[in-house]
Amino acid sequence: MNTRLIAKVEIKNQNIVKPIYFEGLKKIGNSKKVIQEICKHEIDEIIYLDLVASLYQRKLDLNLLKENLQNIFVPATVGGGIRSIDDCNNFFENGADKISINTYALQTNKNLINTIAKKYGSQSVVINIESKKIDNNWYCFSDNGRINSNVKVDDWIKIVQDLGAGELFIQSVDKDGTKSGYDIELFDKIFKICSVPVIIGSGAGSLRDIEKIIEIIKPEAICLSSLIYDDFSIINKIKKLLEKYNDK
């Protein structure tokens, strides 16, 4: 199995921003220019998330999405404000290869996952899980890490897999943007119950952090943002690092 390298781009208005602990947005730059720069360095995929669509209960900017993904020849998973099949149709028509869903499915209608999977196939459905440890359990959060659903991560994973989710994107609210290393305890726990591919995110601050998680877990995909923004050329270094472990 080869571990894919994915860039997470978080959109607010026309710009890419980077939160820490899902809060306090740091402006990175114009979204189209940053995405083009990322793709120049041969990233495998991107995850494109509108950070405030669900929070403000508004639609993702489809014109901006189309412009940002134009002439981008890597698969793109798109999320933000999805509430219906029509929203998914609009995403796919404007450049998305997969859709990412969190808030609406978690808070309102989990069966939308099954509806999407039946229409487009499970491979098109990525469940974004924003996890935070409280006492001795991890819980699912929504609205960019702001609202606790009181649903345990391991319970939600079992539910969404049964509903037809094709992939899970697991993030740690306490690690995201910190560059302090991955939450090994979280990923070790959830990998034991996952039957679909998992994308891990949140916390990578060095090549060693990436190497460590591969040695321990060997995930299907790693998603990065802060580390890439420090130096886009690190994408190439990470790809070379992954080659050492791929197909083993």
Side-chain angles (χ1 to χ4, degrees), residues 139-182:
Y139 289 88
C140 297
F141 278 63
S142 65
D143 296 278
N144 204 37
R146 288 174 171 82
I147 298 175
N148 185 0
S149 68
N150 294 311
V151 177
K152 293 179 181 178
V153 169
D154 49 356
D155 291 338
W156 186 234
I157 286 173
K158 293 172 185 175
I159 290 169
V160 300
Q161 288 180 156
D162 289 343
L163 288 169
E167 199 162 20
L168 307 176
F169 176 31
I170 314 290
Q171 304 185 80
S172 167
V173 174
D174 292 328
K175 286 285 190 176
D176 199 72
T178 66
K179 295 189 286 187
S180 61
Y182 289 106

Side-chain angles (χ1 to χ4, degrees), residues 112-125:
L112 180 59
I113 297 168
N114 187 248
T115 303
I116 298 168
K118 284 183 175 179
K119 180 167 184 178
Y120 293 108
S122 291
Q123 79 288 340
S124 68
V125 185

